[in-house]
Amino acid sequence: MEEELLALKENDIWDIVSCPSNVRPIGCKWVYSVKLHSDGTLDRYKARLVVLGNRQEYGVDYEETFAPVAKMTTVRTIIAIAASQNWSLYQMDSKYDSSLFLRKTSTGCVLLLVYVNDIIITGTDSSLITCLQQQLKDSLYLGTLTYFLGLEVHNVASGVFLNQHKYTQDLISLAGLQVSSSVDTPLEINVKYRREEGDLLPDPTIFRQLVGSLNYLTITRLDISFAVQQVSQFMQAPRHLHLVAVRRIIRYLLGTSTLGLFFPSGSLIHLNAFSDSDWAGCPDTRRSVSGWCMFLGESLISWKSKKQDRVSKSST
């Protein structure tokens, strides 16, 4: 460990200083990961020294938290704008953490979005983009945006197509459903799942893993948002029937793994929003489920399916 830190110091990545007397050291560890291309082939090996934040105590080590990370709605919005204006999309991998920058110049503008240390660059000023790439020479320039946080980006003549095909295939493998038959809908029609129906799962681990993975898949799959919201209610004490529902969602993905979002070029940049809700749809709480979606021109950028906080006494 000491040799690794000394090597980092020699490379001027950071300076090692003494801990102030009024600061309690927390500790750290190395995290190693394997980065893959969208086709599953090896991209590179990666190592990062991270702080053990789980050893911090609220009120002693900190009082508030802040993570400068762009939301996925922002990522989709940037891609939608770039597609509508026919801007080129580039990606970089940086050691710097930030969120979103916009710089205007006499010849145009440049947008730079950072998700932890993965960067998307787009805009109209190609000379400034080149300058940014040179200034961030310590970063790894990866070229045209094709694969970002598990999202596959396909540039076509009519716009940009976004999906999670490889991620979906990995999820199907995790569930062990590679040779199963596909179904036409993510949930059975007119079926209501209750909290205490059926036998408890002896080990809820796989249920929680699958539902967590499905939640990440909703980044590009609006069509499963309601189904995932339904099964997410049972994370604390899942039952066999709930696992059957999760496996059905994944069987639906078997036949639709290439679906995703399309952001057309030439689309006007104006917002449209739509919303709806059922009436006392939850059989356990009698609360309703609301759903909404937002379009930037013809591009779908944000949506949600969520159980309401209170029981409605009127259908108005």
Side-chain angles (χ1 to χ4, degrees), residues 287-298:
R287 286 188 283 169
S288 307
V289 175
S290 297
W292 54 263
C293 61
M294 298 187 69
F295 287 82
L296 185 62
E298 299 176 38

Side-chain angles (χ1 to χ4, degrees), residues 19 23 71 103 111 132 142 156 165 168 172 182 251 265:
C19 182
V23 174
K71 293 183 178 180
R103 178 172 178 180
L111 281 167
L132 275 172
L142 301 178
V156 296
H165 175 64
T168 303
I172 293 170
S182 61
R251 288 173 59 203
S265 59

Side-chain angles (χ1 to χ4, degrees), residues 12-23:
D12 292 327
I13 292 179
W14 58 42
D15 291 326
I16 298 176
V17 298
S18 299
C19 182
S21 58
N22 61 337
V23 174

Side-chain angles (χ1 to χ4, degrees), residues 4-6 8-16 30 48-50 95:
E4 291 170 316
L5 289 175
L6 289 174
L8 291 173
K9 180 176 174 62
E10 291 173 359
N11 292 329
D12 292 327
I13 292 179
W14 58 42
D15 291 326
I16 298 176
W30 285 97
R48 180 181 298 172
L49 187 66
V50 299
K95 66 183 181 183

Side-chain angles (χ1 to χ4, degrees), residues 81 84-85 266-273 294-299 301:
I81 293 174
S84 69
Q85 303 300 309
S267 176
L268 297 177
I269 301 179
H270 60 269
L271 281 173
N272 286 317
M294 298 187 69
F295 287 82
L296 185 62
E298 299 176 38
S299 302
I301 59 170

